[in-house]
Amino acid sequence: MGNSAQITSLYRALESAAAGRPTAVRDMSPDDRAAYMRAAKRKSRQREKEAAESGRPEPTAAMIREALADAAILILATDAPGGAQVRNILFKAFPGRAGVAGSVTAKARSGKLKPKLLTPERLRGTA
């Protein structure tokens, strides 16, 4: 960082301090920003964990994927409408491995492949 950039950075820090507000994340040094982001991620994970434990998971991308995967497992296990489409998608997801769709269906029906998020209690509405 050149002298003028350092002076500008210091000026912004002084300006923020004078205004009584914390330094903006974009104005933090790389080390401070990394520490801030680690702490923010830790808080976010803690919130997600607490929400999941309480039975009300946050609608994060990972949890939405989990719910969709569980729905597909349940469709295959119960031979519900849409099962053919799920098997077709499995066939396309694993080209050259024609047996995957059949083995996944068999595992879902036998109970070896179980939903993680959509438990029987949750599906009944008691959880």
Side-chain angles (χ1 to χ4, degrees):
M1 189 163 27
N3 271 347
S4 64
Q6 286 177 332
I7 292 171
T8 303
S9 178
L10 287 172
Y11 180 77
R12 284 189 186 143
L14 287 172
E15 200 175 50
S16 294
R21 62 180 186 263
T23 304
V25 175
R26 69 177 174 270
D27 294 333
M28 291 179 180
S29 71
D31 291 338
D32 289 344
R33 185 176 22 252
Y36 174 86
M37 297 306 279
R38 280 192 302 274
K41 189 62 176 175
R42 194 172 24 257
K43 287 179 190 174
S44 175
R45 286 185 183 133
Q46 183 62 32
R47 255 191 332 272
E48 288 175 17
K49 181 180 177 184
E50 290 170 359
E53 287 172 352
S54 72
R56 301 180 64 86
E58 295 286 320
T60 62
M63 294 308 287
I64 291 168
R65 285 179 174 275
E66 193 72 44
L68 292 171
D70 285 0
I73 291 169
L74 292 170
I75 288 170
L76 291 175
T78 61
D79 202 27
Q85 287 87 351
V86 172
R87 283 187 288 279
N88 187 31
I89 289 169
L90 283 170
F91 181 75
K92 289 179 180 180
F94 300 98
R97 312 267 324 241
V100 171
S103 66
V104 169
T105 300
K107 286 178 184 177
R109 288 183 181 161
S110 71
K112 289 182 182 178
L113 185 61
K114 297 177 184 174
K116 291 181 181 179
L117 182 64
L118 297 175
T119 60
E121 297 80 24
R122 182 163 297 195
L123 291 172
R124 283 194 298 268
T126 59

